[in-house]
Amino acid sequence: MARYKFICGSCKFECISGIGREAGLHSSRVVMACKSCATIDLYTVAHPGSINTEISISPACTSCLSSKHLAEWDGLTCPHCQMKMRAIGPDVDVERSRFKYW
């Protein structure tokens, strides 16, 4: 999953995250925001009826350890002030060459 740097236009909150979900055979990797502590992170969620028993429990927030405040993040809404965020620049995980042309 590609990750980008996001900046909120009003409160200047910054984070590095992906957008949306990456579907797998028995589970999906989903970017979620916690409405309690306002953190954004990537979680693995099992598909309904999946045979994968290791991730059959619901994901818990990495900061406040609560699972009831997690919701899928749309990539546009700041978790702190609920205003618009935008991605700045290219994928942060891609290595860049010092040469402009190959």
Side-chain angles (χ1 to χ4, degrees), residues 34-96:
C34 181
K35 295 183 186 208
S36 167
C37 61
T39 58
I40 299 170
D41 208 353
L42 181 67
Y43 297 94
T44 302
V45 179
H47 294 300
S50 172
I51 60 172
N52 193 347
T53 58
E54 295 174 1
I55 57 171
S56 61
I57 57 172
S58 62
C61 177
T62 55
S63 294
C64 66
L65 304 176
S66 174
S67 61
K68 58 185 168 184
H69 300 290
L70 284 177
E72 191 169 344
W73 186 52
D74 60 0
L76 299 172
T77 308
C78 176
H80 286 277
C81 66
Q82 306 302 318
M83 299 300 284
K84 288 188 177 184
M85 291 184 79
R86 63 186 180 111
I88 304 292
D91 185 358
V92 295
D93 296 326
V94 174
E95 285 189 33
R96 290 173 193 34

Side-chain angles (χ1 to χ4, degrees), residues 10-52:
S10 62
C11 73
K12 306 300 182 212
F13 170 74
E14 294 184 16
C15 70
I16 294 177
S17 179
I19 304 171
R21 72 175 43 225
E22 187 176 86
L25 184 61
H26 298 289
S27 63
S28 295
R29 295 176 62 201
V30 182
V31 177
M32 296 180 147
C34 181
K35 295 183 186 208
S36 167
C37 61
T39 58
I40 299 170
D41 208 353
L42 181 67
Y43 297 94
T44 302
V45 179
H47 294 300
S50 172
I51 60 172
N52 193 347

